[in-house]
Amino acid sequence: MITIALSKGRIFEETLPLLNAAGITTPEAPEFSRKLILPTNRADVRLIIVRASDVPTYVQYGAADIGVAGKDVLNEHGGIGLYQPLDLNIARCRMMVAVRDDFDYESAVRQGARLRVATKYVQAARDHFAAKGVHVDLIKLYGSMELAPLVGLSDAIVDLVSSGNTLKANHLKAVEEISAISSRLVVNQAALKLKHDAIQPMLDVFALAIRK
Ligand code: PRT
Ligand code: MG
């Protein structure tokens, strides 16, 4: 049995064409099903639906053989026990530093002010500001980072931006790009050896089906 861990929403939707290219189809879409284990047309392949940030953990421990996770999530997880053979080039966005429209970020940085930064991406934020030599107090949040500067929780946030509409709707502006983000295929290192004959052909088809 090959178990593939995916999260609902954009990752599932954008991975589906790749699965289809490998001849794998699923009769039930997770958006319309409460099942956490979804069968596929192949008796030896099943999907499990987990939180986006939990995908690397399921694959690390071998509860799933394969998964799809954003580079943001993989960076926070650390990637232990994971083979990352392919950038699938899906669910693309950018990790950015953002502040309120009326906040002068450049001069705060120039003056060496200690900044309060709210984020779900503590590891990425720590690395980014350390490399810049900017002193920050990091505040860990689990979502809706955009709210933090509006209510005085923080001076800045580190968050993902795709269209920019969420920032705009909340009177925030992006002031720095930390990195470009896309989703990667992750494979359990032991599974790749033990189930090589089933997994390698899938990797080969995915590699050919990736949109440049
Ligand atoms: O929702 P949950 O808390 O379970 O986890 P999640 O938010 O990490 O999962 P999900 O499914 O929303 O995102 C899965 C992956 O998609 C992320 O790990 C990223 O790699 C990738 N991705 C791509 C994004 C975005 N684009 C994105 N825009 N993840 C989140 N967003 C959010 C962003 O955090 C912000 O709140 O969308 C908002 C901004 O969007 P725009 O279009 O208004 O700029
Ligand atoms: Mg989300």
Side-chain angles (χ1 to χ4, degrees):
M1 176 66 77
I2 303 294
T3 301
I4 304 176
L6 298 174
S7 52
K8 272 190 202 185
R10 47 170 77 82
I11 299 246
F12 183 86
E13 282 152 26
E14 297 190 42
T15 303
L16 205 51
L18 299 172
L19 292 175
N20 292 346
I24 299 165
T25 58
T26 168
E28 286 169 273
E31 319 305 318
F32 303 106
S33 169
R34 286 172 188 275
K35 284 189 191 165
L36 299 175
I37 302 179
L38 300 178
T40 70
N41 61 316
R42 274 179 51 177
D44 64 334
V45 179
R46 64 178 181 174
L47 309 182
I48 62 172
I49 304 301
V50 304
R51 284 292 288 265
S53 45
D54 290 335
V55 167
T57 306
Y58 277 85
V59 177
Q60 173 190 356
Y61 288 97
D65 301 298
I66 297 175
V68 176
K71 184 167 165 263
D72 50 319
V73 164
L74 289 168
N75 186 44
E76 296 303 311
H77 171 270
I80 320 125
L82 303 177
Y83 173 56
Q84 299 183 29
L86 294 173
D87 181 349
L88 299 176
N89 207 21
I90 61 170
R92 290 171 53 168
C93 58
R94 292 176 299 156
M95 188 174 285
M96 311 280 292
V97 181
V99 297
R100 278 166 57 143
D101 277 342
D102 58 5
F103 185 80
D104 189 347
Y105 177 74
E106 278 72 25
S107 84
V109 167
R110 223 180 305 118
Q111 288 162 20
R114 202 175 174 91
L115 292 177
R116 295 221 296 185
V117 179
T119 188
K120 185 168 154 184
Y121 309 103
V122 172
Q123 199 55 52
R126 186 178 293 122
D127 293 348
H128 174 71
F129 290 107
K132 274 180 65 93
V134 173
H135 294 287
V136 292
D137 291 316
L138 295 174
I139 301 174
K140 167 81 184 183
L141 290 179
Y142 292 87
S144 301
M145 273 77 83
E146 294 89 353
L147 182 60
L150 304 181
V151 294
L153 179 62
S154 71
D155 303 306
I157 59 172
V158 167
D159 196 5
L160 304 178
V161 178
S162 41
S163 68
N165 290 339
T166 308
L167 292 183
K168 212 174 295 162
N170 291 293
H171 308 289
L172 301 172
K173 60 182 176 189
V175 288
E176 234 162 47
E177 173 163 345
I178 297 181
S179 60
I181 301 285
S182 56
S183 286
R184 317 289 161 112
L185 198 73
V186 293
V187 184
N188 176 275
Q189 285 173 351
L192 185 63
K193 295 198 189 90
L194 297 169
K195 304 183 185 179
H196 189 266
D197 293 353
I199 291 176
Q200 191 57 50
M202 267 185 213
L203 302 190
D204 295 341
V205 175
F206 292 158
L208 288 174
I210 293 170
R211 279 189 299 147
K212 294 290 171 245

